[in-house]
Amino acid sequence: MQSIKFLSNKTIKLNGEIYKPYNVGNLPPSFGFKQRLTGNGDVQEGIYQWFNYKGLTYVPKSDNPWA
C-alpha cells in the first residue's frame, strides 16, 4: 500500500519520493518527453513520470536547485 504524506506548500511525499505540484498552465518546459535533442546536438532529459491529484499535476522534485 502506498503512503502519502502532505508536506508544506502542497508538496507530497509518496513512498519516500518528494513530488512538486504544478497547475496545467505552469508546467516546466521539460514536461512530457523522455529525451530530446537540442539545437547543438546535446540530449536533454525530460519529465515523463507524473500523476494528477486534486487538480494539480505532481512531478518528482529535482535535486537541481536551478530546475
Side-chain angles (χ1 to χ4, degrees):
M1 185 167 169
Q2 297 179 349
S3 62
I4 296 176
K5 183 175 181 182
F6 294 93
L7 305 174
S8 63
N9 198 13
K10 297 184 181 179
T11 305
I12 290 179
K13 187 172 186 178
L14 178 64
N15 292 335
E17 190 169 354
I18 297 176
Y19 289 86
K20 185 175 177 183
Y22 289 96
N23 289 320
V24 173
N26 295 332
L27 289 170
S30 59
F31 180 80
F33 64 89
K34 194 168 187 174
Q35 291 180 343
R36 72 174 173 189
L37 291 175
T38 60
N40 58 1
D42 293 335
V43 176
Q44 180 184 11
E45 297 292 325
I47 300 171
Y48 60 93
Q49 294 179 336
W50 69 88
F51 67 93
N52 296 320
Y53 181 71
K54 291 192 176 183
L56 296 171
T57 301
Y58 287 87
V59 299
K61 189 172 182 183
S62 173
D63 293 334
N64 184 354
W66 304 108

